[in-house]
Amino acid sequence: MIAVGSAAPDFKLESQFDTEYSLSQFKGNKNVMLVFYPLDWTPTWSREIPGIESMIDQFKAADTQVLGVSIDSKYSHDNWAKSLGGVSYPLLQDFEPKGGMAKAYGAYLADKGITDRATVIIDKQGVVQYSVGVGPGGERDISALLAECQQVNG
């Protein structure tokens, strides 16, 4: 995983909304929470999505933009989000080159060909303030991540 205190690598990826997102577009304006996950349609991520959705207004109040990231295509993200009743935040396709963004953040599991279940919180200056991987079978504590975002926003 990328080290806390490191400059976060910029990226430019498309989402299920057919919109391109980059880290640099948020610099100076919002903190960013990157929520890496192995694949769409997985049971753990299907539980985490509602947890994040239920707290999305609190993440926004902490000046934090949530971005989901996996190796799946934007079409898979879109279909999966619709199957869950919609996802209000971008799910980015780290599709080509496969896992390129995850590799830059140390969240790509080359031996498995998927992204780790990991979270990286980046402050408004583009510096990594939190970086933890829990493994593909692990689960995140969304309330604890919100607390981390609130602390970063200070």
Side-chain angles (χ1 to χ4, degrees):
M1 289 298 303
I2 192 168
V4 170
S6 300
D10 200 9
F11 55 82
K12 192 178 285 186
L13 298 174
E14 275 192 273
S15 75
Q16 83 273 26
F17 303 129
D18 281 329
T19 303
E20 200 169 68
Y21 290 86
S22 67
L23 180 62
S24 56
Q25 82 184 74
F26 299 106
K27 195 167 186 176
N29 187 34
K30 286 191 179 284
N31 302 310
V32 174
M33 183 171 79
L34 301 175
V35 185
F36 291 97
Y37 62 100
L39 297 164
D40 293 335
W41 310 95
T42 59
T44 302
W45 187 227
S46 296
R47 287 189 303 273
E48 288 180 335
I49 283 266
I52 294 171
E53 281 292 336
S54 71
M55 302 173 87
I56 201 69
D57 288 337
Q58 292 168 283
F59 282 104
K60 288 178 184 177
D63 282 338
T64 301
Q65 174 65 55
V66 176
L67 299 171
V69 185
S70 85
I71 59 168
D72 293 305
S73 73
K74 67 180 181 177
Y75 306 107
S76 178
H77 290 333
D78 184 49
N79 287 323
W80 182 61
K82 286 177 181 171
S83 79
L84 294 172
V87 176
S88 65
Y89 53 90
L91 301 175
L92 305 180
Q93 68 168 8
D94 194 8
F95 189 69
E96 188 60 43
K98 182 181 179 183
M101 179 186 171
K103 288 173 187 171
Y105 281 84
Y108 187 71
L109 303 173
D111 61 326
K112 294 180 174 42
I114 58 173
T115 304
D116 192 3
R117 190 171 309 282
T119 310
V120 177
I121 300 172
I122 303 158
D123 68 19
K124 294 174 186 173
Q125 289 71 47
V127 177
V128 175
Q129 297 297 319
Y130 178 89
S131 176
V132 173
V134 296
E139 207 158 333
R140 291 173 260 249
D141 180 337
I142 305 304
S143 295
L145 292 175
L146 175 61
E148 290 288 341
C149 289
Q150 290 166 332
Q151 184 177 354
V152 167
N153 200 43

